Amino acid sequence: MDWGLQNRIAQIIKPTDNRALMLAVDHGYFLGPTEKLEVPRKAISPLLKHCDSLMLTRGVQRTSVNPKFPTPIVLRVSGGSSIIGADLSNEEITVSIKDAIRLNACALAMSIFVGSKYEKQTIVNLGKLVSEAEEFGIPVLAVTAVGKEIGQKDARYLSLACRIAAEQGAHIVKTYYCKNFEKVVESCPVPIIIAGGKKIPERDALELAYNSIKSGAVGVDMGRNIWQSDNPVPMIRAVRAIVHGNSNVNDAFTLYQKLCKEKPVKNSLVKQKIKNIQPKKQNNIQPKKQNNIQPKKQNR
Ligand code: R5P
């Protein structure tokens, strides 16, 4: 595997523990102003420092994320349908590789809709995107989307969809958790990350994250269960405790409750972080005058 590809994957799946905590905020690409994500910057800013990578569209990246933040970007590059349109599966690739590079994406994300009217189109698009992205050492994350259907999320269907994504060359697959999830993981030769799905009570969402990882997922790419929570920062920190801290559900939920009681840090954490990443005056490392090594005048 090329150095660039490996390095970009390592920004998403941390090599220290082979785990990933992604924050998904790409919902607007077909849902418009989703509840609690109406003003993307407001939702994203306090969470940025707690995730390993951020999944979004180029529009939200450019308008709502401070470019001085070092958070790696997983850029959604597919779209073309809306929740009120005829068929959600009718997606195409909407972002050029050039623009993805300009935006410093560390991975490209797109959906495939296995079993839908447009499955061929989305699967062929995945294959083409992988070929193009690999030329530049950029990994592709394939999302096994289920459209408006919710009855299809069983291990048999998800194993099929994940395996097809991997066979087309996806470097990471994002899918849904289900009963017998180990089977989905077992038959998919690339790392699997799970989506959180619809908002559920915090403890249940933590349990979902815990069970996914226990069954072999390398991490989560959660959205609604974090920023639709009444306490998004405590929630992402509790999810983090599961993903990177090996916490069990009880410990993570206790942490969540404890953090909820704590006074929120005054104003936005973003300002604080930006301040921290400003280059400091480093007087002590300024090159000193080294008179003794100046070439001496040679009078001869
Ligand atoms: C859906 O297609 C989007 O890619 C979302 O990023 C994904 O569903 C994860 O978000 P959530 O945890 O809200 O399901």
Side-chain angles (χ1 to χ4, degrees), residues 23-219:
L23 177 66
V25 289
D26 60 326
H27 303 58
Y29 93 96
F30 72 99
L31 287 171
T34 317
E35 192 191 343
K36 300 250 183 118
L37 196 57
E38 296 91 342
V39 184
R41 184 181 287 271
K42 215 170 126 188
I44 297 168
S45 299
L47 298 171
L48 259 188
K49 68 181 259 188
H50 302 288
C51 62
D52 299 329
S53 63
L54 188 62
M55 179 180 178
L56 40 47
T57 59
R58 63 178 167 186
V60 167
Q61 184 180 346
R62 285 201 165 102
T63 57
S64 314
V65 181
N66 189 320
K68 291 177 185 166
F69 252 80
T71 312
I73 299 293
V74 177
L75 186 67
R76 174 168 282 280
V77 297
S78 70
S81 297
S82 82
I83 192 70
I84 58 165
D87 196 323
L88 270 182
S89 67
N90 193 2
E91 283 196 0
E92 295 282 3
I93 301 299
T94 56
V95 180
S96 70
I97 197 88
K98 270 189 181 176
D99 208 26
I101 292 168
R102 200 176 290 125
L103 285 162
N104 198 24
C106 79
L108 309 181
M110 66 162 291
S111 297
I112 59 166
F113 293 79
V114 174
S116 75
K117 187 174 168 192
Y118 295 94
E119 77 164 16
K120 179 183 171 186
Q121 174 183 310
T122 58
I123 294 170
V124 170
N125 283 344
L126 171 62
K128 287 182 181 166
L129 186 70
V130 170
S131 302
E132 205 181 357
E134 280 202 340
E135 276 192 49
F136 300 92
I138 302 179
V140 173
L141 178 149
V143 182
T144 66
V146 290
K148 290 178 192 170
E149 309 299 322
I150 47 163
Q152 287 185 319
K153 294 181 196 170
D154 62 12
R156 196 160 167 233
Y157 170 80
L158 294 174
S159 298
L160 172 79
C162 291
R163 179 60 175 266
I164 288 172
E167 298 265 352
Q168 285 304 325
H171 305 90
I172 303 171
V173 174
K174 170 175 159 180
T175 193
Y176 293 91
Y177 179 72
C178 64
K179 209 173 149 198
N180 298 322
F181 192 67
E182 318 75 57
K183 289 195 173 153
V184 182
V185 176
E186 205 177 84
S187 57
C188 180
V190 297
I192 291 191
I193 285 174
I194 62 108
K198 279 187 184 161
K199 175 77 180 72
I200 50 178
E202 279 75 7
R203 200 183 189 287
D204 295 350
L206 293 171
E207 194 164 3
L208 177 86
Y210 178 82
N211 288 339
S212 307
I213 284 169
K214 207 173 122 201
S215 309
V218 298

